[in-house]
Amino acid sequence: MPKIQVHSSRIQYTDSYIEAVYGYQNTEVRIHGDIFHVHPRTTKFTFRTNLQVPKVGIMLVGWGTETGTTVTATVLANKLGLINKDQGSQREHVNYVGSITQSTTVMLGLTNDGNEVNVPLKDLLPMVNPNDIIIDGWDLCSLNLSESLERVETINNDLKHQLHHEMKQMKPRKSILNRDFLPSKENIIVDNIIPGTREEQMAQIRKDINDFKTQKLLDKIIVVWIANEEKNNDVIDGVNDTADNLLKSIEKNTCAIAPSTLFAVASILEGCSFINGTSQNTFVPGCIELAERHKVFIVGDRIQSLQTLTESSMLDFLTSAGIRVNSVVQQNKVEKSTIFSTTNVQCGANDHYKGNLEMNTTMGSGTGPEECSCSDGNVQIPEVFSRAEYHLELGIEGLNTIVVYNTCKDFLLASPILLDLIILTELCQRIIFRVGDSLKFQSFNSVLSVLGYLCKVPLMTRKAPVINTLYRQRKCIENILRACLGLAPENNMSLESKLSDSTDWNESQDIMRSRAQSKIVTMDDIRAVVGSVHNLPSGEVLAGSLH
């Protein structure tokens, strides 16, 4: 049984799932001239969450990269309960700091005394324990994971030594190479290639997925691309613009199909969710259509980084405070090279994420641009030193400059964020819902934009608004989990503590407590009352009839 028990006539618990009736409130605005006509709406949703946590495996494309070796080492070290002896006198056990599912809390509610009750986010609904995740993958380099870990130098020597035996036994499967999509500046070892045509290569990938699932007795597999960033894949009519054209192009061995897209198509055909952890446009229109056809989740693009989180939260804070950001000057140092970039008047400098964020936070005040043209040339790097100057404008032409320094190894934070993507993607696979009084359940859209907080360039559905402010992205995840328990979003109003006379409030709360049932309403209880009326089959209930 879940750790959190909600007592309400709107939620029912069974041995296999939780079903909650939720009132989704939104606001429709119609603009006529200078008048805004506002129409509040409330729509009933019925969420059903499967409580059975499956045995999950992940397959990493680019297993021997910085991110691949680090996330493998992170999971193994936590599973084995290793102590990081290089931390000096602290000698701490390794952990999942940096993961929102494992290391953050959410406010559940208030006690009778008005004290906040905060619980780990992972306790809201049953989730996969990252220690239980089984890892496999592909790589163009045949080095075992221990050798790759030595080569990329991401963790300290003591942990490397403790993990050597386990990681030495892990060897990546052969991967797909298409030199047309390798950036010229990439220097990688290539000695582990799947031969054959693109159709034969995709067939081998599908065989690898099935072999891994069978050998490890897995219930689900999630495939993640964390290999080197490819050159962008042009969208070509008749080649990759539709699902059918994409499949035909693979069959014809068309050279314009990127390896990441081949992996995505193979995963979709095997019913496995696919996460794009880098910035290339893996999800061409034909790939998205194929995912929608097979009702498989795809998530992207590019795993979030601490540097971008810092910059985005700074912009979010400044614009929310009503401060105008005139420009952002960035200096990034990678080894011996220095990269300067300047962002003028709300336009993102280095990637679409920043541009969308600034547009998202400033359009409300009418100061944002009508369009933003940005480019993304970032690659995975061992360490980045960045210096960002925020040139601000205050009232009466006041000027101010904030300077932020950031030294980081992005792949260290990428590991817990990648685990969050996997854990929450799997959870979303167990959530279905129906709208209004419909009897038909559906899942989230195949483009899983719910997880935008964890991606630098969130992939969105065709009609969805782009929301890139960190606070709203994080609240989206939290509020959907609350909705699955029939709980309203946390509004932060705390009206009960702001009353001049709390007598009426206390009386109203006492009345509600006296009316509340002391036990949780089960499906059998509801079926006994309304089952014969609606002629419901065994194990089913018409949640739309509950008010």
Side-chain angles (χ1 to χ4, degrees), residues 179-190:
R179 295 190 182 276
D180 292 339
F181 289 92
L182 281 179
S184 57
K185 54 187 172 184
E186 291 294 343
N187 182 21
I188 60 175
I189 300 174
V190 178

Side-chain angles (χ1 to χ4, degrees), residues 175 405 488 517:
S175 190
Y405 294 90
Q517 295 181 359

Side-chain angles (χ1 to χ4, degrees), residues 457-471:
V457 192
L459 182 69
M460 309 297 292
T461 57
R462 295 179 180 87
K463 297 182 180 180
V466 178
I467 298 175
N468 280 319
T469 54
L470 293 178
Y471 176 81

